[in-house]
């Protein structure tokens, strides 16, 4: 429990660093590292990017260590992330979310 991470958002010619916490809900035990990159949709103001994101769609089973994750926050911002993992498997549930904050 208590996993954290971070990333960079490129928006309107600027780069913003952010933190992610709460990646424990629904993730199988044994994952040591998850990496991803992707796209952000429905973002008109960078202030709407932080928030609690919940899974609303996954692109197939990610048990082989790779998959597509679609997350949406309370402001309607969508992150579509292609993921790869080292460890057992990646299985993110929607019971809880991941919290994104700006650095």
């Amino acid at each position: 429990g208590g996993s954290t991470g971070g990333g960079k958002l490129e928006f309107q010619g600027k780069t913003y660093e952010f933190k992610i916490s709460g990646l424990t809900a629904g993730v199988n035990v044994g994952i040591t590292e998850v990496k991803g990159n992707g796209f952000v949709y429905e973002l008109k103001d960078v202030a709407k990017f932080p928030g609690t994101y919940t899974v609303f769609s996954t692109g197939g089973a990610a048990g082989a260590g790779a998959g597509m994750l679609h997350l949406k926050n309370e402001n309607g911002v969508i992150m579509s992330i292609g993921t790869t993992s080292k460890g057992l498997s990646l299985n993110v549930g929607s019971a809880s979310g991941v919290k994104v904050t700006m650095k």
Side-chain angles (χ1 to χ4, degrees), residues 8-17 46:
K8 293 181 182 179
L9 168 70
E10 293 181 20
F11 180 70
Q12 295 183 343
K14 294 183 181 179
T15 300
Y16 301 89
E17 291 190 34
V46 74

Side-chain angles (χ1 to χ4, degrees), residues 12-97:
Q12 295 183 343
K14 294 183 181 179
T15 300
Y16 301 89
E17 291 190 34
F18 61 91
K19 294 181 185 179
I20 297 176
S21 60
L23 294 173
T24 56
V27 177
N28 287 340
V29 175
I31 292 179
T32 58
E33 183 177 291
V34 176
K35 292 185 178 183
N37 60 30
F39 297 94
V40 175
Y41 302 96
E42 304 300 327
L43 181 63
K44 295 173 180 60
D45 178 357
V46 74
K48 302 290 186 182
F49 184 69
T52 302
Y53 286 78
T54 55
V55 175
F56 73 93
S57 175
T58 56
M68 193 66 155
L69 194 58
H70 304 283
L71 304 160
K72 187 174 186 178
N73 77 4
E74 65 274 13
N75 297 313
V77 177
I78 298 168
M79 283 196 282
S80 292
I81 306 168
T83 60
T84 58
S85 64
K86 291 181 182 177
L88 295 176
S89 63
L90 177 61
N91 181 16
V92 179
S94 60
S96 142

